[in-house]
Amino acid sequence: MSKPWGLPNGDLEQSLPAIASSLSYSQGFSPHHYFSPERRRVISDVRRTFCLFVTFDLLFISLLWIIELNTSKGIQYNLKEEIIDYNFKSSFFDIFLLAVFRFLLLLLGYAVLRLRHWWIIAVSTLVSSAFLIVKVILSDLLAKGAFGYLLPIVSFVLAWLETWFLDFKVLPQEAEEEQWYLAAQAAVARGPLLYSGALSDGQFYSPPESAAGSDDSDDELLGKTALTEEEREYVRQGKMAMEAMDQILAQEENWTFEKCSDFGDTVHFLEMPFYGKVFILKAVLQCPAEIIYQEMILQPEKMVLWNKTLLACQILQRVDDNTTISYDVAAGAAGGVVSPRDFVNVRRIERRRDRYISAGMATVHGSRPPTSKYVRAENGPGGFVALKCPTNSNLCTLIWILNADLKGRLPRYLINQSLGATMTEFMFHLRKRVMEVTVRS
């Protein structure tokens, strides 16, 4: 396994908090470093994609026009006829010039000047639409066969696709990133103290602290609270998930490094018998572990307010102080190729001396049978671990273990790609949420 930061192999309880402590005073994990003006991209990824699409518009229209010119009379003759002897009613040259006009105007506004307003695309689309409508009405292009229909239609569609892409993708995403950047700068202005104090355990429902490695018997549990046979099975499943989580964490030296994000988050995987490929994300967050505990572990049903990879989360049943049954609906992925999935999970929560753990796995609950609305997927043992930093209470290490069977007839590579993208997108939303919480504190 690739060992980031050059850590030696060792016990997870020592190595993972050490990652956080070694970065406790490092600028590399401060909001200013993430979002400082010198590190922010000159042009965002989504804007770059938009510019590529505008370039495609010009090249595609040019290609269609060249094909139209290459008839039996030859390109030179047709160029002379359409450019030198230009006739509005019969020439395609003006449609090519219209594509050049869109290309120059949009790249000037959104690539060179990097404007964040829709008025340039509005002018481009209005001019293109008006010209093409007049061209089709007054010209004799339709008498020229297929290209008389094709070039105006393609030009019209491409102009409106550019408008949709900018208005629904580029501008909203950049506005969201700008809001995140301003929140980070506000956090920097407040100084290094990101969290004003420890949250009270009485502020929310909170399970009792568990000693690491504790293993209460079912008989002891039954002596404390009267559980039905079904509830007893839920508790047993929760303990199984927790044991599997502990086993995965104990095998850190066997994790296979897969990739590292721009934020330093590392994604690993581990092949496990009966469960297949298990994805493991490890990230250092500049907030106390208690914030992750409150925002993700104790209140999973509120994650839908900020986590866009989750469409719904409902607590179906609280079995005991440590065990709950939840119903979750995950958003679609891979550009809509993977449709939304729903899950029914049993969760076990434990508070230990140096960490907070939420472990879960798929189960069955009578109040949420499978429906035709969603594909019912299943989670293998997995969950979240928030590790406290022993030397800096304003840092923690988050570990997410994801082991999902999405069902349906999906190729394995697409499932792996979807799960990896979901983990990356989730961390984006989590960091934004952490910034909001710490700025409010």
Side-chain angles (χ1 to χ4, degrees):
M1 183 197 77
S2 174
K3 288 277 185 183
W5 305 291
L7 289 172
N9 292 339
D11 182 22
L12 183 81
E13 295 186 8
Q14 296 175 353
S15 62
L16 291 176
I19 294 172
S21 63
S22 67
L23 296 164
S24 58
Y25 299 102
S26 170
Q27 186 185 15
F29 282 85
S30 69
H32 185 269
H33 179 69
Y34 285 153
F35 304 103
S36 60
E38 62 269 17
R39 281 185 59 87
R40 295 180 75 195
R41 295 185 179 219
V42 175
I43 184 168
S44 66
D45 291 338
V46 67
R47 186 178 288 251
R48 186 184 301 111
T49 303
F50 171 77
C51 293
L52 287 174
F53 186 77
V54 172
T55 306
F56 168 79
D57 174 7
L58 174 63
L59 295 178
F60 191 50
I61 294 296
S62 301
L63 178 64
L64 292 178
W65 185 48
I66 291 172
I67 293 174
E68 184 272 334
L69 290 172
N70 193 19
T71 61
S72 58
K73 295 183 179 180
I75 293 181
Q76 291 184 346
Y77 176 84
N78 288 325
L79 279 173
K80 178 178 179 299
E81 188 178 61
E82 293 202 4
I83 298 177
I84 298 176
D85 302 329
Y86 171 76
N87 186 322
F88 177 79
K89 292 186 177 182
S90 61
S91 177
F92 289 105
F93 179 57
D94 46 16
I95 296 181
F96 166 75
L97 289 180
L98 186 64
V100 174
F101 163 76
R102 284 198 303 268
F103 174 79
L104 295 177
L105 181 64
L106 295 179
L107 286 192
L108 174 65
Y110 297 115
V112 178
L113 301 178
R114 295 195 293 278
L115 299 178
R116 295 191 175 188
H117 201 276
W118 48 263
W119 69 268
I120 288 185
I121 193 76
V123 170
S124 168
T125 305
L126 178 63
V127 171
S128 297
S129 300
F131 179 85
L132 290 170
I133 290 173
V134 172
K135 179 83 170 176
V136 169
I137 292 175
L138 300 181
S139 70
D140 299 327
L141 293 179
L142 301 184
K144 286 197 167 188
F147 278 97
Y149 297 89
L150 187 61
L151 268 172
I153 291 175
V154 169
S155 183
F156 186 86
V157 170
L158 288 175
W160 280 96
L161 283 177
E162 289 163 354
T163 303
W164 172 85
F165 192 84
L166 182 86
D167 200 34
F168 287 89
K169 296 292 183 181
V170 179
L171 298 182
Q173 184 170 323
E174 289 188 341
E176 187 176 24
E177 291 176 355
E178 181 67 17
Q179 183 181 9
W180 191 12
Y181 170 75
L182 294 175
Q185 295 304 304
V188 172
R190 290 172 57 89
L193 182 60
L194 294 183
Y195 186 62
S196 59
L199 294 171
S200 168
D201 286 341
Q203 190 172 350
F204 298 97
Y205 160 81
S206 181
E209 185 166 352
S210 305
S214 64
D215 187 15
D216 297 334
S217 67
D218 289 344
D219 293 336
E220 290 175 348
L221 187 61
L222 285 172
K224 299 174 186 176
T225 57
L227 299 180
T228 65
E229 192 64 33
E230 182 182 44
E231 291 172 335
R232 185 173 175 174
E233 176 62 19
Y234 287 144
V235 173
R236 187 188 69 82
Q237 292 176 354
K239 288 187 174 182
M240 285 177 56
M242 186 65 68
E243 291 172 0
M245 281 270 289
D246 288 335
Q247 291 175 7
I248 294 172
L249 295 173
Q251 298 183 60
E252 183 189 4
E253 62 183 15
N254 295 324
W255 298 354
T256 302
F257 176 80
E258 186 161 283
K259 63 180 179 178
C260 181
S261 74
D262 293 339
F263 292 100
D265 305 339
T266 56
V267 178
H268 313 257
F269 68 88
L270 178 67
E271 294 288 346
M272 291 189 65
F274 307 110
Y275 297 114
K277 191 173 186 178
V278 179
F279 287 89
I280 307 160
L281 181 141
K282 184 163 60 176
V284 175
L285 297 173
Q286 194 156 11
C287 69
E290 285 76 15
I291 287 184
I292 303 301
Y293 179 55
Q294 297 289 355
E295 294 292 327
M296 291 175 50
I297 296 178
L298 283 189
Q299 307 178 90
E301 66 275 16
K302 293 186 178 181
M303 288 174 61
V304 295
L305 300 177
W306 53 267
N307 178 15
K308 294 184 180 179
T309 67
L310 193 65
L311 298 180
C313 180
Q314 178 186 3
I315 301 299
L316 301 178
Q317 182 180 351
R318 296 193 182 275
V319 180
D320 62 16
D321 288 342
N322 295 83
T323 310
T324 60
I325 311 299
S326 69
Y327 173 73
D328 308 283
V329 180
V337 177
V338 180
S339 62
R341 260 53 175 176
D342 66 346
F343 302 80
V344 176
N345 298 313
V346 56
R347 301 174 185 264
R348 180 174 178 84
I349 300 174
E350 289 188 5
R351 293 189 305 155
R352 299 180 185 174
R353 177 182 54 82
D354 64 338
R355 68 190 65 187
Y356 302 100
I357 306 180
S358 173
M361 62 186 297
T363 190
V364 177
H365 197 272
S367 65
R368 284 292 183 178
T371 65
S372 58
K373 186 176 181 179
Y374 300 112
V375 177
R376 174 60 52 88
E378 293 182 358
N379 277 322
F384 299 99
V385 182
L387 284 158
K388 302 175 184 178
C389 173
T391 60
N392 187 342
S393 61
N394 290 326
L395 286 178
C396 69
T397 301
L398 175 68
I399 303 174
W400 179 13
I401 297 175
L402 179 59
N403 175 23
D405 182 358
L406 298 182
K407 302 298 184 179
R409 298 178 180 178
L410 295 174
R412 174 52 56 182
Y413 81 90
L414 185 59
I415 293 176
N416 293 340
Q417 180 182 351
S418 171
L419 296 178
T422 297
M423 298 180 92
T424 303
E425 184 181 356
F426 170 79
M427 287 306 303
F428 175 87
H429 297 306
L430 176 60
R431 279 196 166 87
K432 182 180 177 183
R433 177 61 176 174
V434 166
M435 288 293 179
E436 295 171 352
V437 172
T438 53
V439 168
R440 282 203 310 264
S441 300

